[in-house]
Amino acid sequence: MPEETQELDARGLNCPLPILRTKKALKDLGSGDVLKIVATDPGAVKDFEAYASQSGDELMEHSEDNGEYTFYLKKA
């Protein structure tokens, strides 16, 4: 697992809120910083893949465990 700079708890939020909160959190981070996001919305997997390809931020890793999805995004 990458070492995160900050963590965002997006559990219980449905699309598009996990992405919107992520965008807001990334504004406060510097280039190369890593944001860890924990979400429960199954649609978040596709949302974060699409977000990373459009934003230029790197989706370093993602996993699912017991209905919780964890993402590591590295700010460009």
Side-chain angles (χ1 to χ4, degrees):
M1 281 189 268
E3 186 168 327
E4 72 269 9
T5 305
Q6 184 176 328
E7 184 171 339
L8 173 66
D9 183 357
R11 289 178 277 217
L13 301 176
N14 292 320
C15 181
L17 290 176
I19 291 292
L20 294 175
R21 299 257 172 105
T22 295
K23 288 168 78 173
K24 184 176 179 182
L26 284 170
K27 285 183 182 181
D28 296 333
L29 299 180
S31 180
D33 286 345
V34 176
L35 179 64
K36 175 184 178 183
I37 306 105
V38 181
T40 51
D41 181 6
V45 175
K46 288 185 180 179
D47 291 344
F48 277 100
E49 289 171 347
Y51 172 78
S53 69
Q54 293 174 0
S55 70
D57 298 322
E58 179 188 351
L59 180 57
M60 300 173 68
E61 185 177 307
H62 65 88
S63 61
E64 187 272 334
D65 182 37
N66 223 13
E68 287 193 350
Y69 302 88
T70 303
F71 305 91
Y72 290 89
L73 270 176
K74 185 175 191 178
K75 185 170 179 176

